[in-house]
Every structure is written in C-alpha cells, then in structure tokens.
Amino acid sequence: MKQSQAVATRHDKHGYAFLRTVTADPDRLYARAKAAGAGITSELCETDYGSRDFAARDLEGNRWSFGTYRGEPRKAADPA
C-alpha cells in the first residue's frame, strides 16, 4: 500500500484534527518540516492580518497550521 493510501485509510476510519500552533520563527520551522518530508499544504506566506504562516498534513491526516499571529488580547470584563 502506498503511503498516501495509508493516510487516506487512517483518515477515513479514525477522523482527524486541525491544530493551530503559534511560533516566533515560522521560517525555521517550515525549513525543518520541509526537509523532514512533511506534506506542505500551504506554502510559507504573509497573511493580510500580519501573520507569517504555513500549513502541513501529517501521516495520520491531521492538518497543522503554524504562524506568528497570537490573536487579539482578551478584554477585561466590564464591571457591573
């Protein structure tokens, strides 16, 4: 069985997850993932909201997104 078939089979039987990971150095992580043979699904790019991102899929079919955007800080609750 080819590796891509094995991933599809596992994905069909067990489901998958989507994970978002914040990193300070996406360029280094991208180079490491690519060198290790990761299935890059979205090349390294600058987003319109100011993040530097890329995405990959692992052998179990999980989708990983990596980038610099940490989200907006939570606002303090309004005292009643």
Side-chain angles (χ1 to χ4, degrees), residues 20-23 26 44-54 65-71:
R20 170 74 178 167
T21 303
V22 175
T23 178
L44 193 58
C45 66
E46 298 288 333
T47 68
D48 58 350
Y49 49 90
S51 186
R52 185 146 174 85
D53 286 5
F54 77 95
S65 173
F66 301 92
T68 56
Y69 183 70
R70 295 187 179 277

Side-chain angles (χ1 to χ4, degrees), residues 19-34:
L19 301 106
R20 170 74 178 167
T21 303
V22 175
T23 178
D25 193 354
D27 292 84
R28 185 175 62 86
L29 188 57
Y30 173 83
R32 183 176 169 196
K34 196 150 185 162

Side-chain angles (χ1 to χ4, degrees), residues 1-47:
M1 180 181 294
K2 291 182 181 178
Q3 183 176 348
S4 60
Q5 291 171 324
V7 171
T9 301
R10 280 186 283 225
H11 174 269
D12 291 342
K13 291 184 179 180
H14 301 290
Y16 65 95
F18 179 82
L19 301 106
R20 170 74 178 167
T21 303
V22 175
T23 178
D25 193 354
D27 292 84
R28 185 175 62 86
L29 188 57
Y30 173 83
R32 183 176 169 196
K34 196 150 185 162
I40 304 297
T41 58
S42 179
E43 293 293 328
L44 193 58
C45 66
E46 298 288 333
T47 68

Side-chain angles (χ1 to χ4, degrees), residues 71-77:
E72 289 293 321
R74 291 185 181 191
K75 294 179 182 176

